[in-house]
Every structure is written in C-alpha cells, then in structure tokens.
Amino acid sequence: MIDTASVASQDGIASITLTGPYDFMQVWFMPASLDLVAARDIILDSFATSFGTFVEINRGAYGDVSYSLDMTSSEGVEFGVFSLFLGQRASGFVEYYVNFGPVIYFQQGFASAQQSVTVNGNPVFSGVDGAGLQNLLSANTGAAGGAVQPPAGNVVPGDQQPPALAQVPAQVPAVLTEAPAPPPSDPAAASGEGAAYLTTLQPELAYIQTTITDATTNFAGLEGDNSAAAIEAISRIAAEWSAYPDRAAGLVAPAGYEGIHASYQALAGQVGQLGASWSGFVDSIQTGDVTAIQSTLQTFLDQFVGILGQIDALNTQIAESQAGSVAEAQPTAAPGAATEVVQQDLGPASNDGAIYVETIESELTYLQGTLDDFAENFGALEGDGGTAATEEINRITNEWIGYPERAADITAPAGFEGTDASYDSLTSEVGLLGESWLGAVEALGSGDDGAFETAFNDFLTQMATVQQQIDDLNAELDSQDSGTGRTAQPTEEAQDARAEVTEEGPTEEATDLTGQEETDDGSTAGGANLPERDEEDAQEAISNETETGRGGQGADLADFEDLGLVDEGEYVSPQFDVEITWDDTWVFASTFDEPITSDEEACVDTVTVSWTGEGGSSSFITVADSGGEVTPEALADYWASDEYVVEAVGEDGEVLLNDTSRSGAGAVLIRGFLEDGTQVLVLREAMCADAQCDSLAISMMVGEPNSFPDAYADARSDIEVDGERLIGVFSAREIEAGIND
C-alpha cells in the first residue's frame, strides 16, 4: 500500500514509498544528469545514518546502472536492502528502486514487489533474481549484529524526505553533444548487442560451474592418501574464485539487461567470497582448532551450495531473456508465495517422439527443481527455520530414492534409444544421490567427524554428477530438435572465414601431414619423419586433389559415390577402407569446393562435413598413410609450435589447449584472427586409424568462438572413425574453459 505521507517532491526529485506487512520499497525519480554511483552512495549513507549499522554485501556499477545489496538491523532483526539505479530511462529521469525487508522474508517480499509494482508499465527490478539476493543475505547473516527472525512490525525510516542531492556531481561526459536516444521498448530485440552479451555471459557461467565441479571432485580426495594434492588443487581453484570479481568487472551489459547483469555481478561477488572462505578454512587447519575448522568449513559449504543455486537461477534468467519473455513475464505464484516443485503423475507414455521429448524435458525440469530446493533448504538448516528445512530435505531425499521406479514408467519410441540410455543412467544416479545423503546423515549421527566429512564429500560429488548429467541430457535433447533454427548449410561469412584460415583448403595440408617443407634427408623441422617424397610429385598430388571439379551449389550426393560417400552420414576411405560416420548434427558439405578428395600418390583421402547448428563450424577429416613414422603425438607437437600457429592463423594466433589422450591421440586448440579482426578457432586432432597406426585419422575443425563449444560437443558425440570417437582428447568443459581463460 502507498504511504501517503511519503510522497515527496523537491528540487527536481520525487519519491514515493510503498509498504507491506514487514517490508517497504521506494521509487525515486531524479535528474538525468546525476552521477549514478555518487547518488547511490549518498542515499545509502542516509539510510546508514537512520539505522546505524549498515553493512555492504555486494556493490557495483556498469553502463547506465549502479546497484548495491546491503544489510542492516533494527530492533535486533536483520534486514536486507537492495538498491537499483537506472539511467537513460524512457521517463527521461534517473529511476531508483530500493527494496527493504527482513532477511527471513526478503525473497518473498522482493517477488511481491516485482509482480505488483510497475513504472510506465514495466515491472520494477525486472530480471533481478530474488533467490540470488536471498542466498547472499543468508550467507552473511549476523554481519549486521541482528537475528534472522520476523520483526514485530514494519520498519520505515521516519524521515521520508529525499536527502539533499545538490552535492551529487552531474554526469556530463565532455564528448556528449546531444542527448542520447531513449532505449528501445523491447531491449531484447533492439540489436545484436544483447545476444552478444548473453553469449559472452553463458561461457562465464560454464567456467564457474567447471571450477565448482573440479573442486567437488577434489573434495572426495581430502580424506584419501593424497589429501595434500587435493588441498593444493582446491586452493588453486580458490585463487581463481578470489580473482573472479575483477574478471567479471570487464563485462559490460547493454541497455535492457540490467537485471541479469546485477544477478551476474552478485554471483561474481559471491564467487570471490567463496575463495576467501576456502582460505579461511585452510588457515583454520593450520591452527588445529577443531571448532574453528568446523565453523570455517560450514561457512565454505554454505556459500558453495548457494552459488550452485545462483548459477541455475541466472541460467534460467538468460533462457527467459533469449526467449524474449524477460520484460513481459509475470510471476505465476501469488505475491509472497514460495515456488513449489510439484511431482506430476506421468500416466501412460506415448510412442510419439515429440511427446517423449516433452516428457523427458519435464522430468529434467522437475529434477533440477529438486536440486535447487535442496540447496535452498540446506542453507536454512542453521537458521530459525531449521526444522522445516530438515523436513523438506527429507522429502526431497525420499523422492530421489524413489525416482528410478517413477522413471521406469517412461518408454522411449524407436529412434530415441540413445536418449533413453542417457536418461536411464541419470535416474540411477538420482537414486544414488538420495542414498548418498542418507549415508551422510548416518555418519553425522555416529559422531565420527572424519566419517561425516567423507560421506558428505561423496554426496557433493554425487550431486555434481547428477547436475552434469542433467545438463548433458538437456543438450542432447536440444540437438535432436530439428526445428530450433538449425540450418543445413553454414553461413556465407562462416565459409569465408574457413577459407581464409585454411587458405587453399585442407587438401594441401592433408598431403603434407605436418605442413612443413621437407629437408634434404626427408625429415621435417617439426621432428616427425615422413616417407621421402619428391617435391615435384607432392605439388602434382596437390593439384590432382583439386581437379575433380565436384562440389559447389547444385552438387548431388551421387556425384561423390565413387570417392567413398556411401550416403549422407557415412563415408568409407577408398584407399584405407576406414569408415567415417556422422549423426544428423553434421551434414556432408556438398556445397563446398572439393568436399571429398582422394589422392593415391600422396596416400591421402579427405571428406568435409559442416555443423548444422547456427554459427557455421566445419570439420575437414583426413585419412592418411603415416609411413610407420608419423604419430598423433608428433603432429600435436607440431601444431602447437609457433611456426604452425603463424602459418595457420597468423602472427596473433595462440595455443589455448594442447594435450594427448591415454589412447595416444593428440589435439591442439588454437585461436586466431582474420584480417578484419574476426576471431576464429581451429581444433587439430589426430588418432591412429588402425591398431598398428599405419594410417591416421586427422581432423581440422574450424568455427567461431560463440558456437564452437556446442559444435565441439556434437563432433565429440556424433563423428566416429570405425566406431570410435574422432574427437575426444578434450572434454566440452575444457573447450569452454580454454576459450574463456
């Protein structure tokens, strides 16, 4: 309700206060020339004066946005305060929204404000994740010296007059000669800036998730024989966490994405605090104080679980924004109501593929909800709502344990056997997750601290496994949906980029496996000896490869049958009888010039396939004679050399990843730039195509950074050489981390 006494206007500044049972929010309109950071600090200083204790939790600014999450206390109760300042608004003013509520009810009150209050038809705090704010506040309870409990009544500042803002410096850039244009009514559709921002943000979340997963894996080793190595590994990750806020500060959001960016900056701040919490835990180990060790470990674990929830919530925000629904979506729950995960009755399964996919997607949403609810209630175990949180955790655990039986009712139609196998694996892991939690509870009841830490680490590892399988299965379902904007051919720009990277195409490099000129004795500077070959013969072979005249617009699959193309999705090397297959996430690149070549003199066969996803990646696959001397490891060493990097992508190129697998395959990921500054990625990978390694299967995958991780994941799962993965040295997460480091 409106506090009529709070309506105020003076010196070009207007404000109004709306109150709820325990909380209040204010909406301010201020001159457009105000400096957002200075205005924020002055107003929050006035709050601090009114309430005494005022603790900063997370504060930042970017573009036309500044924000702050703070905590204060009144009459022994802790309150959260979230402030959001927005410049360049359609109203022509700087708009300032502040929500003030008790920590125990903050998320509910914040959701109520988002649903109930609009400015010019736009919901306040649009896109800001209330659950993420709640997690930050819950992780800092006690900082303001109060208790997390309901207040006796609403606490509204007695002086509702706006503070004097004449001292706030105006933000007037020297280069600004005219007023900037107002933001478009639909920021998500205004330009490509928003899409570019989101495609930059998503790998950042994947990077954070990777560090969380890696840390979880090492937790399991804390009680093992190599605990020192586990601590060292986690400490290295923690150093990355501590530095992450500085890394995140470099990301700037366009207009219309203020809410998402505020959530991201809040997450970044919490990641930084997680690093500090781990350092505190390690320091406590050095003291030998058992109480301090348990306390610092609990603090770390609370923040750890909270971050998982923030990542999931932010991914949801991004997905909604990409669907164009952020500005228009309304909460489905009543004001102040908590979200509840409802277990639906599956009923008889249909054999229709579309219905099956929808059913699995619904199940994944349900499972993700149980993980999120568990994380939220786990964070509340130490608070006043500990009993209710324990009951909720027990309910979720029972659902996990019984989930395999529930999932048994779902039957996959023909053609979905792979998805069904992935889902069956996930259901088993979910059941084990429930059993794992019960094991941790039993260990806690035994009073054996060591047994509890081991059991709890096992539980965290199992939770990370389930989360990973949910993510992987969601990606698998996305790849099966042929109606999501996939295109049969790469864009013209992508083809041009590949042509510039490969210069004269894959054929010349495939003829000379190392790409280097031979010396007089037949060896190469890269250290990989090749069978002696006359230079004139080599050049003739190169020419022979490009004289078939096949490929290009209008080419038919039948045109390539005598060169080894069996059908769409299958190719057999004419010289080596090596079968290369690909799933429907890839397509034979018939529109390319010379998509298939076979050179008998050089002992090289090549086929080219293109990714069907948006972004335009291609893979040039070669089967070649090793001469009994060239190995995948030797090729990887050469591809990682400065000489090859410069030759492949230019002087500014750099090696992002370089490794070999236990099976002897070698791979290198390189980043380069085209003449127009376009960034391009090149993945080189080689494996033995037979048991004796007399022949090699070599891939050169080329694409743009934004879509490359998805294309790589599809190549890793869907392209095979005689039934074995062609791509596989790196995991998809390693590729994402390599690109974003």
Side-chain angles (χ1 to χ4, degrees):
M1 60 179 291
I2 296 177
D3 181 352
T4 56
S6 73
V7 179
S9 178
Q10 69 177 52
D11 300 328
I13 300 173
S15 70
I16 186 171
T17 300
L18 301 99
T19 62
Y22 299 107
D23 47 17
F24 72 89
M25 76 159 294
Q26 293 182 330
V27 179
W28 297 49
F29 299 93
M30 296 176 278
S33 61
L34 289 181
D35 183 291
L36 300 183
V37 173
R40 177 198 68 199
D41 293 345
I42 288 175
I43 291 177
L44 293 180
D45 284 347
S46 74
F47 280 152
T49 300
S50 299
F51 288 94
T53 303
F54 206 76
V55 180
E56 177 185 325
I57 304 300
N58 187 275
R59 188 171 295 186
Y62 59 93
D64 293 316
V65 177
S66 69
Y67 65 90
S68 185
L69 177 64
D70 303 272
M71 184 180 289
T72 185
S73 63
S74 177
E75 299 178 359
V77 178
E78 289 193 323
F79 288 78
V81 184
F82 181 70
S83 303
L84 182 64
F85 290 76
L86 305 174
Q88 299 297 321
R89 305 300 287 172
S91 64
F93 296 92
V94 167
E95 294 178 10
Y96 163 49
Y97 316 140
V98 58
N99 191 79
F100 188 107
V103 170
I104 191 171
Y105 297 139
F106 189 87
Q107 181 178 349
Q108 291 93 325
F110 192 80
S112 177
Q114 286 177 307
Q115 180 189 23
S116 306
V117 183
T118 62
V119 176
N120 288 333
N122 298 314
V124 295
F125 303 117
S126 177
V128 179
D129 177 28
L133 299 179
Q134 182 71 65
N135 287 337
L136 286 173
L137 293 171
S138 298
N140 288 276
T141 54
V148 179
Q149 63 186 36
N154 203 327
V155 181
V156 181
D159 182 7
Q160 292 294 338
Q161 298 300 316
L165 293 177
Q167 56 187 305
V168 179
Q171 184 178 1
V172 185
V175 298
L176 187 62
T177 57
E178 60 182 26
S185 58
D186 184 4
S191 69
E193 291 183 2
Y197 167 70
L198 294 181
T199 53
T200 301
L201 185 57
Q202 286 172 311
E204 288 298 303
L205 299 185
Y207 161 76
I208 297 173
Q209 182 69 61
T210 298
T211 65
I212 294 291
T213 302
D214 290 347
T216 301
T217 301
N218 282 283
F219 287 154
L222 289 177
E223 295 296 319
D225 296 334
N226 203 12
S227 60
I231 291 177
E232 181 180 352
I234 300 175
S235 296
R236 175 187 58 78
I237 296 170
E240 296 183 24
W241 290 336
S242 297
Y244 191 78
D246 291 336
R247 166 175 170 160
L251 184 59
V252 178
Y257 291 82
E258 296 85 358
I260 288 178
H261 200 66
S263 297
Y264 170 61
Q265 292 294 334
L267 169 63
Q270 191 70 358
V271 170
Q273 292 183 23
L274 186 63
S277 295
W278 175 257
S279 297
F281 170 61
V282 174
D283 290 343
S284 68
I285 293 177
Q286 306 301 322
T287 67
D289 186 333
V290 175
T291 301
I293 293 173
Q294 292 177 338
S295 175
T296 54
L297 177 61
Q298 188 61 53
T299 298
F300 172 76
L301 293 175
D302 288 346
Q303 291 181 334
F304 189 91
V305 173
I307 285 176
L308 290 175
Q310 285 181 272
I311 292 174
D312 292 338
L314 189 48
N315 274 318
T316 299
Q317 282 183 267
I318 292 172
E320 291 175 348
S321 177
Q322 289 174 325
S325 61
V326 171
E328 299 175 359
Q330 297 293 333
T332 56
T339 302
E340 181 181 2
V341 177
V342 179
Q343 185 169 349
Q344 301 175 347
D345 183 9
L346 295 177
S350 168
N351 285 329
D352 181 80
I355 295 178
Y356 171 73
V357 170
E358 290 179 1
T359 300
I360 297 299
E361 288 176 335
S362 176
E363 288 301 296
L364 295 182
T365 300
Y366 159 72
L367 290 175
Q368 186 65 65
T370 65
L371 296 182
D372 295 344
D373 281 0
F374 184 94
E376 180 178 349
N377 283 281
F378 183 82
L381 286 176
E382 298 298 321
D384 294 331
T387 300
T390 299
E391 292 177 354
E392 186 66 9
I393 285 176
N394 290 338
R395 180 189 65 79
I396 295 170
T397 302
N398 288 331
E399 290 186 12
W400 286 340
I401 293 173
Y403 190 76
E405 181 178 352
R406 161 186 169 138
D409 294 334
I410 301 177
T411 303
F416 290 86
E417 292 80 5
T419 300
D420 196 48
S422 299
Y423 178 59
D424 282 346
S425 174
L426 170 61
T427 61
S428 297
E429 297 295 342
V430 171
L432 292 174
L433 181 62
E435 299 289 351
S436 178
W437 174 252
L438 291 184
V441 172
E442 291 175 2
L444 179 64
S446 71
D448 186 335
D449 292 341
F452 169 68
E453 289 183 12
T454 298
F456 187 72
N457 288 334
D458 290 343
F459 168 73
L460 291 177
T461 300
Q462 186 64 22
M463 177 174 276
T465 297
V466 170
Q467 181 66 68
Q468 181 63 58
Q469 290 200 6
I470 290 174
D471 294 342
D472 290 345
L473 189 49
N474 271 316
E476 185 176 337
L477 293 176
D478 289 342
S479 71
Q480 290 183 358
D481 185 357
S482 60
T484 56
R486 293 183 181 272
T487 56
Q489 298 297 334
T491 63
E492 181 178 349
E493 292 80 2
Q495 292 199 48
D496 292 342
R498 287 193 293 272
E500 187 168 345
V501 171
T502 60
E503 299 180 343
E504 296 185 25
T507 55
E508 178 173 354
E509 182 172 317
T511 302
D512 179 359
L513 296 183
T514 65
Q516 293 183 303
E517 293 183 1
E518 293 174 291
T519 61
D520 293 338
D521 62 359
S523 65
T524 66
N529 294 323
L530 297 176
E532 291 190 12
R533 184 179 52 174
D534 183 84
E535 183 65 22
E536 183 177 347
D537 291 342
Q539 292 302 324
E540 182 180 355
I542 293 170
S543 300
N544 289 341
E545 289 179 351
T546 59
E547 289 178 354
T548 64
R550 308 186 199 186
Q553 298 297 327
D556 189 90
L557 295 182
D559 296 338
F560 304 94
E561 287 180 356
D562 61 323
L563 295 177
L565 187 66
V566 178
D567 202 349
E568 176 60 69
E570 182 179 4
Y571 163 85
V572 177
S573 165
Q575 299 183 68
F576 302 92
D577 197 32
V578 172
E579 182 187 55
I580 298 173
T581 58
W582 54 93
D583 208 340
D584 57 5
T585 59
W586 293 84
V587 63
F588 173 60
S590 59
T591 60
F592 280 33
D593 291 334
E594 306 297 331
I596 288 185
T597 62
S598 181
D599 190 298
E600 295 181 358
E601 291 185 28
C603 298
V604 172
D605 292 335
T606 301
V607 62
T608 304
V609 295
S610 293
W611 186 49
T612 57
E614 295 181 347
S617 294
S618 287
S619 184
F620 306 98
I621 306 167
T622 297
V623 183
D625 184 2
S626 71
E629 297 173 339
V630 180
T631 66
E633 294 93 334
L635 286 174
D637 288 341
Y638 172 65
W639 293 330
S641 69
D642 291 341
E643 181 178 354
Y644 176 79
V645 171
V646 171
E647 177 186 344
V649 297
E651 296 286 345
D652 294 330
E654 62 175 328
V655 174
L656 303 180
L657 297 172
N658 175 20
D659 205 355
T660 56
S661 70
R662 288 174 292 180
S663 63
V668 177
L669 178 64
I670 303 169
R671 172 164 44 210
F673 300 86
L674 305 183
E675 291 181 357
D676 62 356
T678 300
Q679 188 179 154
V680 66
L681 296 173
V682 179
L683 176 77
R684 302 305 315 267
E685 185 155 344
M687 62 177 286
C688 294
D690 57 66
Q692 293 73 35
C693 210
D694 292 331
S695 57
L696 300 172
I698 304 170
S699 171
M700 179 168 70
M701 182 175 161
V702 183
E704 59 186 27
N706 290 339
S707 60
F708 198 90
D710 290 337
Y712 178 85
D714 284 345
R716 194 170 189 266
S717 61
D718 297 337
I719 300 179
E720 295 184 343
V721 176
D722 282 343
E724 300 292 331
R725 282 180 177 173
L726 171 65
I727 303 291
V729 171
F730 306 121
S731 69
R733 289 187 179 275
E734 286 177 312
I735 290 290
E736 290 180 351
I739 293 173
N740 292 293
D741 277 350

